[in-house]
Amino acid sequence: SQKIEQNSEALNIQEGKTATLTCNYTNYSPAYLQWYRQDPGRGPVFLLLIRENEKEKRKERLKVTFDTTLKQSLFHITASQPADSATYLCALGGGSYIPTFGRGTSLIVHP
Amino acid sequence: DAGITQSPRHKVTETGTPVTLRCHQTENHRYMYWYRQDPGHGLRLIHYSYGVKDTDKGEVSDGYSVSRSKTEDFLLTLESATSSQTSVYFCAISPTSGTENTEAFFGQGTRLTVV
């Protein structure tokens, strides 16, 4: 069956460092992968989308990579700030697939 | 939030009663989705709609039904609420899906407690 894995343990980092979150998947051939941010008590908010034929996408301090051979996406936040603390979700979709979400990884940036 | 409203925002109901959650959008997007979010499970798709009167089941559709009689409204009904349906429910919309990939916009969520 299709499976999306995100680290269930919270990632704790110091302000100014680069945060790297991982999204792995199996039994999938997604046309695209998305990353969302979710704050407590709120709905997810879209951050970035990367297509299967793209290796890397950047937006301000955010960078996403997509390796369809490894079936993995890495999400980087450079120069992290306490305001970046949130849960980050990856979602896969495309073709006949309705977007399917991972469970998310909590990021905590310490001042 | 991108023109998407969920109601009610909070609801407490008794086991066995029917419950309807409403999702209203002002974006005229074609696709609408209902997800539930539970600790340890993340977001799971309940039902989705790809047009007026066009709906399909998601991963966890048992015990739920949906209706979409207008582009802007997508209703989720729990026919007979059970405690296992206590959750936070999110509605999402997107203009397209499938290969025409694009982002989904989420509502604020409805916290439903079944006692």
Side-chain angles (χ1 to χ4, degrees):
Chain A
S1 61
Q2 299 166 343
K3 195 172 182 181
I4 302 172
E5 292 183 347
Q6 294 187 258
N7 196 337
S8 59
E9 291 185 12
L11 177 63
N12 287 271
I13 65 168
Q14 286 298 125
E15 182 176 9
K17 300 294 186 182
T18 296
T20 299
L21 306 176
T22 304
C23 177
N24 294 299
Y25 60 92
T26 56
N27 298 322
Y28 248 120
S29 294
Y32 64 86
L33 188 147
Q34 300 172 332
W35 283 90
Y36 289 78
R37 169 183 173 142
Q38 186 174 23
D39 292 289
R42 302 185 67 86
V45 175
F46 172 81
L47 296 174
L48 279 170
L49 177 150
I50 186 166
R51 294 179 174 82
E52 59 179 336
N53 60 348
E54 298 175 317
K55 296 293 185 185
E56 182 179 298
K57 186 75 81 68
R58 291 176 185 260
K59 179 183 177 182
E60 297 173 353
R61 294 185 295 112
L62 309 180
K63 185 179 85 170
V64 173
T65 63
F66 193 10
D67 189 326
T68 55
T69 301
L70 292 178
K71 295 186 182 297
Q72 180 182 79
S73 174
L74 298 178
F75 176 80
H76 306 273
I77 305 176
T78 59
S80 59
Q81 305 165 1
D84 294 326
S85 298
T87 296
Y88 292 86
L89 308 169
C90 68
L92 276 63
S96 61
Y97 304 135
I98 298 298
T100 302
F101 286 79
R103 298 179 184 181
T105 298
S106 175
L107 172 66
I108 303 169
V109 182
H110 299 276
Chain B
D1 296 321
I4 177 170
T5 305
Q6 292 184 229
S7 59
R9 293 293 313 280
H10 301 271
K11 185 169 182 67
V12 179
T13 192
E14 292 187 351
T15 299
T17 60
V19 176
T20 295
L21 308 183
R22 181 183 184 231
C23 179
H24 178 78
Q25 62 149 328
T26 58
E27 305 296 324
N28 201 35
H29 284 348
R30 178 182 177 189
Y31 288 83
M32 299 186 76
Y33 312 87
W34 277 108
Y35 289 90
R36 61 178 289 175
Q37 188 172 40
D38 306 285
H41 290 280
L43 279 166
R44 292 181 291 174
L45 182 68
I46 305 171
H47 281 278
Y48 66 97
S49 170
Y50 46 96
V52 174
K53 298 192 189 307
D54 292 322
T55 65
D56 206 347
K57 297 178 180 180
E59 175 189 359
V60 290
S61 60
D62 286 349
Y64 302 94
S65 63
V66 291
S67 66
R68 191 171 178 195
S69 59
K70 298 184 291 185
T71 298
E72 57 266 34
D73 290 323
F74 192 33
L75 304 181
L76 175 71
T77 297
L78 288 64
E79 304 291 345
S80 176
T82 67
S83 59
S84 65
Q85 293 177 311
T86 292
S87 186
V88 179
Y89 291 85
F90 286 101
C91 176
I93 62 175
S94 67
T96 57
S97 188
T99 55
E100 299 170 45
N101 51 73
T102 186
E103 64 187 278
F105 301 93
F106 282 81
Q108 320 95 304
T110 295
R111 182 171 295 276
L112 177 67
T113 303
V114 183
V115 298

